[in-house]
Amino acid sequence: MKREELMNYLESLLQPGLFKDYCPNGLQVEGRDEIRRIVAGVTASQALLDAAVDRQADAILVHHGYFWKGEDGRITGMRRQRLGALIRHDINLIAYHLPLDAHPELGNNAQWAQQMGWQPEGRFGDQQIAWVGSLPTASTVDALAAQLATVLGRTPLVIGEGARPVRRVAWCSGGAQGYFEQAIALGVDAYLSGEISEQTVHLARESGVAYLACGHHATERFGARALAAHLQANFPVQCEFIDIANPV
């Protein structure tokens, strides 16, 4: 398919114009016009770029791309190496950040809920990124952590009493510990995100609401993987999600 056709579809599907983001969404680096093979991943690291080159990919589709606000804009060192690889091999780089967190079906938070069996009931936080809902049956913090370890492939860091009953939860993938107080105000029993800060521990202890830090990378694999599968099912392209291991 043509790059323009792909980009028009992605813009319509993910609607980046609705978001105030920290980076440009959409086509970040232009490559060849014809796209037959797409490599998807969480972050446009050199390792993902190398994998795309090995597979002779025409495009790379990620959640974390380049050109973030506040970054040094000079093309030197690591930045030169990454951009040089894309340009040298004529590979398109396509990135969607907040739009891929927020999409109601393919987004990180929607897919996380689907994998866990949670029942979404609403949204909150800046630009309605975070979600709130309930478990299908009452559980405990320990049981929830065990299920997360199975689904995510890593053990979450838990701040809270393991025997605490859990029925209502709030969640937001990535670095969303800043929404914890809003989640507490919603009356949830537990809040789940990718990362944790020093002050988060005290909020959990003093509020009695459990906090589970599940990994930034681990909680943001869902969107890129789901989007890749969606594109392959609906267009004449080969899409492969490649998980570059990241312990954070």
Side-chain angles (χ1 to χ4, degrees), residues 14-17 19 21 25 63 96-104 107 129:
L14 299 174
Q15 302 184 57
F19 299 90
D21 216 330
N25 287 294
H63 181 52
Y96 288 96
H97 184 230
L98 294 183
L100 195 52
D101 285 317
H103 194 272
I129 293 295

Side-chain angles (χ1 to χ4, degrees), residues 124-125 130-132 159 164 168-171 176-192 199-212:
F124 66 100
W131 292 43
V132 63
I159 307 298
R164 175 188 170 92
R168 297 193 75 236
V169 295
W171 65 95
Q177 58 268 51
Y179 298 143
F180 188 27
E181 286 190 81
Q182 293 182 49
I184 293 170
L186 291 172
V188 300
D189 303 306
Y191 178 66
L192 307 89
Q199 64 267 29
T200 313
V201 175
H202 302 294
L203 285 172
R205 289 172 176 169
E206 295 171 27
S207 68
V209 176
Y211 189 97
L212 293 88

